[in-house]
Amino acid sequence: MRMVDLIEKKREGEILSKGEIGFIIESYVQGIIPEYQMSAWAMAVYFRGMSLEETADLTMAMAQSGDQLDLSSLGGRFVDKHSTGGVGDKTTLLLGPMVAACGVPVAKMSGRGLGHTGGTIDKLSAVPGFRVELTREEFLAQVKKIGLSVIAQSGNLVPADKKLYALRDVTATVSSVPLIASSVMSKKIAAGAQGIILDVKYGSGAFMKTLDEARVLAKTMVGIGNQLGRQTIAVLSNMNQPLGRAVGNSLEILEVADALQGKGPEDLMEVSLELGAWMLVAGQVVTNVEAGKEKLRASLTNGAAWNKFLSFLMEQGGDAQTVADRHLMVAAWNLPILAQESGYVQAFDAHKIGILAMTLGAGRVTKESPIDLGTGVMLVKKAGEWAEAGEPILQLYGSSQATLAEGLQFANRLVSVGSQAPDLPPLIEEVIQ
């Protein structure tokens, strides 16, 4: 095969065979296909798209490009969850303990944050001593022991995706549904998932800005999963304002601790219970979503989920007592943003809140950027809530007086109140399976 012929074939909108797609991915990872030819192929895919069968073949070729995790030795049915990214989205840290406490083991590899969206691994790094990197043997042994482990993605897990994503990022081919879907699903397949729950977000703080875009991506990923024999369910959720009240690493860990003790924000709990219930359905512990939610709520009220979280932190070297005592390091520089008049808080732009948190030190501009784990934003009031004049709406936590001053200018433009409560869309729009 010649790469130039396959570029031309896709440019003309023809279907690539499984063998041709396998050749492209294998040759690219080995460095045989140069970047300029792969760029041309990615652009051809961007404009011409791929059939579901092609996208499934691409997903499998990428999953097989590096290490694959075999969880069969642990017994049970493993279910993975993936979020397409948002602001204040700490659902993995709630779902892991809740779902594991209900009898479905959770063996999860997560990523770091980049730009305005946060990463689970950064949030866990806010816990003193917590080890985000374990050997494969340690990872599997911990799942066998307590039913839960969350670690940073393996260095050789889906190398094709790492290489192709970096290329797409600099060739304006990121927003291609087949390429996004295969990127997400290849990592889930390689990580050994038998059931996959997808939280596909849409809105200002999400990658997919509209419900229609999110629906197309969700249907594609569900189609890939089903084609490859993995039960796949997608929940479409709104990300026009941050999820929960905390945005920032230490702040979000403290909110997770509250939530696991029955004191979580209503919106965070609604999304977490929905996703967790589908994980229990896919894990074959319950037969329907309502039964799953009931079981998850019980894990909160009887303390099982909270105890599972503390065990999880301790097993990976984390100082669980510091979390339990709410003594995590939070930035000393903080400042409230007050309501100038009484009224209903108007809609927050999740993307802008994410940028604000990044400005304060909580996020990365590039993968190499350092972050200050104690910084971020607390939404004291959320959209639709009443605020009296002089009451705080946001609380800013900055790494220095300078960053706080910069954040203050930005934050003042985000806060507005009105006589009418804003019309807020439902958090959960639909479920695709």
Side-chain angles (χ1 to χ4, degrees):
M1 290 183 224
R2 295 193 317 155
M3 184 60 175
V4 65
D5 298 327
L6 301 182
I7 295 169
E8 183 179 5
K9 188 174 181 180
K10 180 44 64 182
R11 187 196 70 196
E12 298 305 311
E14 296 178 41
I15 301 294
L16 297 175
S17 71
K18 182 177 182 178
E20 288 169 335
I21 290 171
F23 166 79
I24 291 170
I25 294 302
E26 185 178 348
S27 301
Y28 180 54
V29 171
Q30 291 176 358
I32 297 168
I33 292 175
E35 296 282 334
Y36 59 83
Q37 283 192 312
M38 200 64 180
S39 300
W41 178 80
M43 189 62 78
V45 170
Y46 181 90
F47 281 114
R48 288 297 197 169
M50 291 182 117
S51 70
L52 182 58
E53 190 171 349
E54 278 181 297
T55 311
D57 289 339
L58 175 61
T59 300
M60 208 60 190
M62 288 168 63
Q64 293 170 344
S65 68
D67 293 342
Q68 294 183 75
L69 203 57
D70 182 4
L71 303 174
S72 59
S73 63
L74 300 177
R77 183 172 166 83
F78 283 84
V79 180
D80 204 346
K81 166 259 175 190
H82 175 81
S83 167
T84 56
V87 180
D89 180 10
K90 69 281 295 178
T91 52
T92 290
L93 298 174
L94 268 76
L95 290 172
M98 288 163 64
V99 170
C102 292
V104 175
V106 176
K108 184 159 179 55
M109 293 185 179
S110 291
R112 296 187 182 276
L114 185 61
H116 75 280
T117 61
T120 298
I121 293 302
D122 292 326
K123 293 164 193 176
L124 286 169
S125 298
V127 179
F130 189 90
R131 296 173 60 205
V132 297
E133 294 181 1
L134 301 179
T135 66
R136 180 174 298 202
E137 292 70 29
E138 288 173 326
F139 178 58
L140 296 176
Q142 183 172 315
V143 176
K144 195 165 190 175
K145 181 178 179 182
I146 67 167
L148 173 62
S149 183
V150 180
I151 60 172
Q153 287 170 359
S154 159
N156 199 40
L157 191 79
V158 199
D161 178 60
K162 291 186 180 72
K163 197 171 179 184
L164 183 55
Y165 188 89
L167 182 71
R168 288 164 54 210
D169 196 34
V170 295
T171 57
T173 52
V174 169
S175 55
S176 159
V177 167
L179 297 180
I180 296 169
S182 58
S183 172
V184 170
M185 295 298 288
S186 61
K187 292 192 279 281
K188 300 296 123 186
I189 301 294
Q194 296 154 313
I196 302 167
I197 308 303
L198 302 165
D199 182 9
V200 183
K201 297 189 176 298
Y202 70 95
S204 69
F207 185 72
M208 313 307 282
K209 300 303 179 189
T210 70
L211 177 58
D212 286 343
E213 289 175 327
R215 189 180 286 120
V216 169
L217 177 60
K219 286 182 175 178
T220 302
M221 291 193 290
V222 169
I224 292 170
N226 293 338
Q227 188 103 352
L228 297 177
R230 270 71 168 184
Q231 183 181 7
T232 307
I233 299 160
V235 175
L236 272 61
S237 67
N238 186 281
M239 184 41 77
N240 276 318
Q241 70 168 328
L243 192 60
R245 295 185 184 273
V247 181
N249 302 287
S250 288
L251 298 173
E252 291 189 47
I253 290 288
L254 294 173
E255 186 166 74
V256 167
D258 287 341
L260 288 169
Q261 295 175 86
K263 298 173 287 186
E266 191 176 323
D267 60 340
L268 176 61
M269 298 315 299
E270 181 181 344
V271 173
S272 298
L273 289 169
E274 182 77 25
L275 294 170
W278 282 111
M279 290 177 76
L280 296 187
V281 170
Q284 299 175 352
V285 166
V286 297
T287 56
N288 61 75
V289 172
E290 287 311 312
K293 289 181 182 178
E294 190 176 327
K295 201 170 181 66
L296 291 166
R297 288 190 192 100
S299 78
L300 296 173
T301 55
N302 65 22
W306 172 238
N307 289 330
K308 184 70 71 175
F309 183 62
L310 295 177
S311 298
F312 155 64
L313 295 180
M314 287 187 287
E315 285 293 330
Q316 288 187 223
D319 186 345
Q321 196 60 49
T322 296
V323 176
D325 293 340
R326 301 185 62 82
H327 287 161
L328 282 187
M329 188 67 71
V330 174
W333 301 102
N334 65 88
L335 187 71
I337 306 297
L338 307 177
Q340 298 302 303
E341 57 186 347
S342 299
Y344 291 99
V345 176
Q346 299 303 294
F348 280 119
D349 185 312
H351 179 263
K352 290 177 179 175
I353 293 288
I355 297 296
L356 171 59
M358 188 171 71
T359 301
L360 293 167
R364 291 184 178 83
V365 178
T366 70
K367 288 182 180 178
E368 292 73 34
S369 300
I371 58 174
D372 186 328
L373 296 167
T375 61
V377 182
M378 284 295 296
L379 283 74
V380 183
K381 301 283 186 180
K382 294 204 70 173
E385 295 179 347
W386 181 268
E388 293 289 342
E391 270 194 299
I393 294 179
L394 299 178
Q395 188 81 21
L396 311 186
Y397 294 84
S399 54
S400 67
Q401 277 186 304
T403 57
L404 206 57
E406 188 180 349
L408 175 62
Q409 290 185 338
F410 190 62
N412 277 327
R413 299 197 297 270
L414 302 182
V415 173
S416 63
V417 297
S419 58
Q420 299 292 321
D423 186 20
L424 301 175
L427 263 177
I428 307 295
E429 188 65 43
E430 64 181 278
V431 176
I432 295 171
Q433 54 181 316

